[in-house]
Amino acid sequence: MTQQHPGEHMAAEISEQPAVLAGLVERQAGIAEVAEKISQNPPRFALLAARGSSDHAALYAKYLIEVLLGLPAGLVSPSTATLYGARPDLRDVLFVTVSQSGGSPDLIEVTEAARRQGALTVSVTNTLDSPLRAAAELGVDIGAGVEKAVAATKTYSATLLALYLFIDAIRGGKGADAEKLGELAQQTLDGAAEGVQRAVDRYRFVDRVLTTGRGYSYATALEGSLKLAETSYLAARAYSGADLLHGPVAAVDGETAVLAVTSAGHGGHAMAEVLDAVGKRGADVLAVGSASADVPAALRIPVAPSAEELAPILEILPIQRIALGLSLARGGDPDSPRGLLKVTKTR
């Protein structure tokens, strides 16, 4: 029997992402069929339900819906339905549940409740035969393949792309900006290798990390914080760049490592003021993104340029490798973080 090495699965699944993303783009016609059914009866607004990494993907989708579709969108609290029995009127509402496993009882229950209350329900899942897919009227297949590592990597980036293709198709788009995403993902992984190693060497003994981003990239900051916490057991916190300036910046000092997501576009441009503020407080800044060269930072990791709304799919790739490297450098096994299971069941 071949012995498994720590981080073997996570490393392999990070490397699979260019092929996974390219394959998803090739299958976008199936996603467009689901989107067409929604276009035929445009919703008043959209709601999204998710947990964990999928919740960060749902936040990304919220930005897409509000910016690209011009619709109000919100993140629901499943417990309002599962614990408190709330049953709001959801007629003419698009209700999207995002779950890689499709197995969390609260997400299944809230989807069933939303469907009974008149919503058009859509599951976005990596498991087509899951209870969640059965609960929803329509389904979008993430199609990332089986993920063996506990920490989500390829399923996360594929979820982002599936959501983008879905929402773009609702507005009549053909996913043109995503056509070369597989190639851009490979360029990003290759181009970031040296910077990732430098980041691991620099931050392997750090105790406190703050991640931050704005706009679409706020989802990346949240996901990056989760990856660092669950694989390397770091005290990691994520803030929107705007929220960071409203108070938490007071806790930043020379002992704080700040991972700033700064890709070209409105969100990245808005981070200049944030990084100026944390820099004045002595923080050690690691900038990740296609605009990382344009901001003050101790270390920069480039990301291949893309349309701003697609940047989170690429930004997360080097951050995943940083989480992997830090976990191994600190003596951990990111494939089996302590206290975590692949499917977390909550209610």
Side-chain angles (χ1 to χ4, degrees):
M1 182 177 179
T2 303
Q3 183 178 4
Q4 179 188 329
H5 299 289
E8 179 180 334
H9 291 316
M10 187 174 178
E13 286 161 358
I14 291 173
S15 297
E16 287 176 28
Q17 289 174 103
V20 169
L21 297 172
L24 188 51
V25 171
E26 292 175 358
R27 298 192 305 276
Q28 64 179 299
I31 296 176
E33 290 178 5
V34 179
E36 175 61 24
K37 296 177 182 178
I38 294 160
S39 302
Q40 291 171 358
N41 295 286
R44 292 183 293 126
F45 60 89
L47 293 173
L48 300 116
R51 295 287 192 195
S53 287
S54 293
D55 199 36
H56 306 152
L59 176 64
Y60 167 71
K62 179 180 183 294
Y63 275 88
L64 291 175
I65 291 168
E66 292 181 345
V67 177
L68 302 187
L69 301 184
L71 290 176
L75 303 177
V76 306
S77 301
S79 61
T80 61
T82 61
L83 299 184
Y84 295 98
R87 295 294 183 265
D89 182 356
L90 298 180
R91 287 173 293 179
D92 300 322
V93 172
L94 173 62
F95 193 99
V96 181
T97 308
V98 187
S99 172
Q100 293 146 15
S101 69
S104 186
D106 55 350
L107 295 179
I108 295 164
E109 185 175 340
V110 76
T111 303
E112 293 171 338
R115 189 170 180 178
R116 287 193 298 268
Q117 294 305 113
L120 175 57
T121 53
V122 180
S123 68
V124 180
T125 178
N126 197 47
T127 312
L128 284 178
D129 59 353
S130 65
L132 176 61
R133 176 62 192 91
E137 184 175 347
L138 302 172
V140 171
D141 179 18
I142 295 170
V146 176
E147 190 169 57
K148 296 180 180 179
V150 171
T153 53
K154 66 178 182 178
T155 55
Y156 177 73
S157 60
T159 299
L160 297 185
L161 179 54
L163 286 164
Y164 171 79
L165 293 172
F166 173 58
I167 293 164
D168 181 57
I170 292 175
R171 65 171 179 168
K174 305 295 183 183
D177 286 340
E179 184 178 350
K180 302 294 184 181
L181 204 61
E183 296 175 22
L184 295 178
Q186 191 62 62
Q187 289 175 24
T188 295
L189 286 172
D190 293 343
E194 181 181 347
V196 166
Q197 187 56 57
R198 290 176 61 196
V200 170
D201 293 340
R202 189 179 186 94
Y203 302 116
R204 63 180 299 180
F205 298 115
V206 75
D207 293 319
R208 187 158 48 107
V209 177
L210 185 153
T211 64
T212 183
R214 288 205 65 181
Y216 294 110
S217 296
Y218 179 35
T220 307
L222 288 164
E223 178 63 11
S225 176
L226 174 61
K227 284 292 161 286
L228 293 170
E230 69 183 357
T231 61
S232 301
Y233 317 135
L234 286 167
R237 290 289 302 273
Y239 293 99
S240 156
D243 289 336
L244 180 59
L245 295 182
H246 277 271
V249 70
V252 174
D253 57 25
E255 300 298 314
T256 309
V258 175
L259 192 164
V261 189
T262 55
S263 287
H266 297 294
H269 180 73
M271 285 296 294
E273 180 184 5
V274 179
L275 295 184
D276 182 59
V278 299
K280 288 178 179 178
R281 298 192 64 82
D284 192 286
V285 177
L286 164 62
V288 176
S290 58
S292 59
D294 303 326
V295 299
L299 183 61
R300 301 175 178 87
I301 297 179
V303 169
S306 68
E308 183 179 4
E309 56 266 30
L310 289 168
I313 304 171
L314 302 173
E315 296 162 348
I316 195 59
L317 305 181
I319 298 174
Q320 291 170 348
R321 279 201 166 154
I322 291 171
L324 167 66
L326 284 175
S327 177
L328 295 174
R330 293 160 71 94
D333 181 1
D335 286 343
S336 302
R338 64 191 184 207
L340 295 182
L341 299 173
K342 189 62 183 171
V343 180
T344 302
K345 296 186 177 182
T346 54
R347 189 175 186 279

